[in-house]
Amino acid sequence: MSQKFDVSEIVSSAYVHIPFCRRRCFYCDFAVSVVGDRLRGETSGTISQYVEVLCQEIAITPAFGQPLKTIFFGGGTPSLLSINQLEHVLTHLEQRFGIASGVEISMEIDPATFDLEHLAGYRSAGVNRVSLGVQAFSQELLQVAGRSHSVDDIFAAIDLIHQVEIPEFSLDLISGLPHQSLERWQDSLNKAVSVSPTHISIYDLIIEPGTAFGRYYKPGESPLPTDETTVKMYEMAQQILTDAGYQHYEISNYAQPGHQCRHNRVYWENRPYYGFGMGAASYIQGKRFTRPRKTKEYHQWVQAGATIDCEITPPKEVLLETLMLGLRLAEGVDLAAFGQQKVEEICRYLPSYFDKGWVEIVEGRLRFTDPQGFLFSNVVLAELFEKLG
């Protein structure tokens, strides 16, 4: 039997991990399984078997009394699922937890992994928000990053999104790629704005051990952009996107008014959420738990009852997590939620950062300034973690 939980906690968000990709990008350290170009959805026994195990995990997970208000299909490349497979997972989620009217159902999709029929099928199944993994509007940079699509594929995918009229359209870009100049970055930003997504995510490249980039490059060394250049990239993105009417509502995310990602705000506000699938994380009953990252181990874990075997996060760690996550948001964190004694302790370590103009308190909320505070957020958080930990 799976582990018992206190059903008094309300959980209304679910992350669903679809770990399949046509190839592994050179910067990727996510839990993914490469299936190649020849496989898609129901034609792949590997994907079909995974979907069944995934649905089994959903079916044996305790529910917490409220329909799901946000569902996020991440990956990997969820757009490798067939329409039937997506519907199968959504049916299990609805049967187990219920799905609220007005639910936000997000799906990460990659160019050249779907056609009009599939995208329309996803829309009919309930997907009302897509996040398109563009990463760069440069053919050379796409090849450098190990992406499996072309610039032409990007524009073809965007045309399909507009044809299907999916209400929420997010677009992802990566800054700090090898050989990426400020001019190329500016071109990608301008092209992103020109196709009118309701949301844009900007991620700074991190060289992770065990990835192809981790073998090829060392941080701070050519052909990677210098730290000075990546700072200018961040500032350029903030300027171009806010000038275009996007609100910089989170350190890496911009949205047109009324189009913030509701699901991701659950993470940043440190609220509980279900996690399903290989390598997926969940936060339930104060327990943060990450599922096995390898296919065989994940299947065995589900067959054994999907037991979440970890300790409740201690209060001090909850405080630090709330600060770390909440300060990613432009509005920051509400100091009143911490209590007077804890607020005094937090503020004891911040005077120099107030003087530098990196942090500020506005209407009782502690927040980073934009863009300088966001740029130096790791410095501030590192000291808070050291002094409060």
Side-chain angles (χ1 to χ4, degrees):
M1 294 293 291
S2 58
Q3 184 160 328
K4 300 291 185 181
F5 295 101
D6 176 4
V7 295
S8 64
E9 181 176 45
I10 295 174
V11 186
S12 59
S13 294
Y15 172 79
V16 182
H17 190 64
I18 306 299
F20 304 101
C21 289
R22 296 189 300 176
R23 63 186 295 183
R24 180 181 285 275
C25 300
F26 297 157
Y27 52 80
C28 175
D29 74 335
F30 295 157
V32 300
S33 178
V34 176
V35 295
D37 289 326
R38 70 189 186 282
L39 298 175
R40 181 194 175 82
E42 289 158 345
T43 67
S44 166
T46 301
I47 297 178
S48 296
Q49 182 184 20
Y50 176 82
V51 167
E52 290 306 317
V53 176
L54 173 66
C55 289
Q56 183 180 348
E57 183 192 354
I58 292 169
I60 62 177
T61 296
F64 294 89
Q66 190 176 69
L68 296 174
K69 296 179 180 178
T70 73
I71 301 169
F72 196 105
F73 288 87
T77 310
S79 47
L80 291 178
L81 290 178
S82 70
I83 299 166
N84 287 339
Q85 286 168 338
L86 176 68
E87 291 174 336
H88 192 49
V89 176
L90 286 170
T91 295
H92 275 75
L93 288 170
E94 183 168 25
Q95 289 174 344
R96 188 60 175 165
F97 309 106
I99 295 178
S101 61
V103 63
E104 175 192 84
I105 302 180
S106 301
M107 186 175 192
E108 291 181 345
I109 60 177
D110 275 1
T113 62
F114 58 89
D115 54 24
L116 184 61
E117 178 185 359
H118 278 94
L119 196 60
Y122 297 153
R123 179 73 182 96
S124 296
V127 173
N128 51 22
R129 184 178 184 277
V130 295
S131 180
L132 185 68
V134 170
Q135 317 313 355
F137 282 91
S138 159
Q139 191 61 45
E140 180 183 348
L141 291 181
L142 291 174
Q143 291 173 345
V144 164
R147 299 293 290 175
S148 59
H149 65 265
S150 67
V151 173
D152 287 344
D153 291 332
I154 293 171
F155 286 107
I158 292 168
D159 181 60
L160 294 178
I161 292 169
H162 288 319
Q163 284 188 55
V164 173
E165 299 182 341
I166 294 178
E168 302 291 339
F169 162 35
S170 183
L171 184 152
D172 293 352
L173 295 175
I174 297 180
S175 63
L177 288 167
H179 306 287
Q180 190 176 42
S181 64
L182 284 171
E183 291 74 21
R184 280 177 165 170
W185 180 235
Q186 183 176 17
D187 179 67
S188 279
L189 290 168
N190 288 334
K191 284 177 177 169
V193 169
S194 73
V195 298
S196 302
T198 55
H199 187 284
I200 297 176
S201 296
I202 305 291
Y203 299 110
D204 187 42
L205 177 69
I206 298 175
I207 303 295
E208 300 284 1
T211 65
F213 274 3
R215 296 190 297 272
Y216 300 159
Y217 308 118
K218 292 184 179 179
E221 295 185 5
S222 181
L224 294 171
T226 63
D227 289 344
E228 180 183 26
T229 298
T230 57
V231 165
K232 289 180 179 178
M233 287 178 173
Y234 191 88
E235 294 172 335
M236 180 183 289
Q238 191 265 0
Q239 186 70 53
I240 290 176
L241 296 181
T242 55
D243 284 351
Y246 291 86
Q247 296 173 336
H248 191 189
Y249 76 100
E250 192 269 346
I251 193 168
S252 300
N253 288 277
Y254 298 78
Q256 293 178 356
H259 295 278
Q260 296 183 14
C261 179
R262 288 160 47 197
H263 182 86
N264 285 342
R265 286 195 65 99
V266 171
Y267 304 145
W268 301 321
E269 293 170 8
N270 209 18
R271 290 186 273 144
Y273 55 91
Y274 302 104
F276 300 108
M278 188 177 87
S282 60
Y283 182 40
I284 300 175
Q285 290 288 284
K287 296 183 176 183
R288 292 195 182 277
F289 181 77
T290 301
R291 284 134 192 81
R293 289 174 56 91
K294 295 187 179 298
T295 304
K296 181 178 179 180
E297 286 79 2
Y298 168 66
H299 287 194
Q300 290 173 338
W301 175 76
V302 173
Q303 295 300 327
T307 298
I308 293 180
D309 184 16
C310 65
E311 298 298 321
I312 293 175
T313 305
K316 186 174 291 187
E317 288 187 29
V318 173
L319 166 67
L320 293 174
E321 289 171 352
T322 300
L323 282 171
M324 178 186 68
L325 295 166
L327 285 172
R328 293 185 63 91
L329 290 164
E331 70 260 33
V333 294
D334 183 2
L335 290 173
F338 297 109
Q340 185 63 32
Q341 182 177 352
K342 189 57 66 176
V343 169
E344 290 176 0
E345 185 179 0
I346 292 169
C347 291
R348 188 181 308 152
Y349 307 113
L350 296 177
S352 65
Y353 303 125
F354 284 115
D355 292 343
K356 289 182 172 71
W358 295 355
V359 295
E360 59 186 3
I361 295 177
V362 179
E363 297 181 351
R365 302 188 73 91
L366 175 68
R367 69 187 192 187
F368 286 119
T369 57
D370 183 14
Q372 289 304 111
F374 279 147
L375 279 167
F376 292 98
S377 60
N378 286 340
V379 175
V380 180
L381 289 170
E383 177 158 357
L384 288 177
F385 269 61
E386 179 186 352
K387 299 296 176 56
L388 298 173

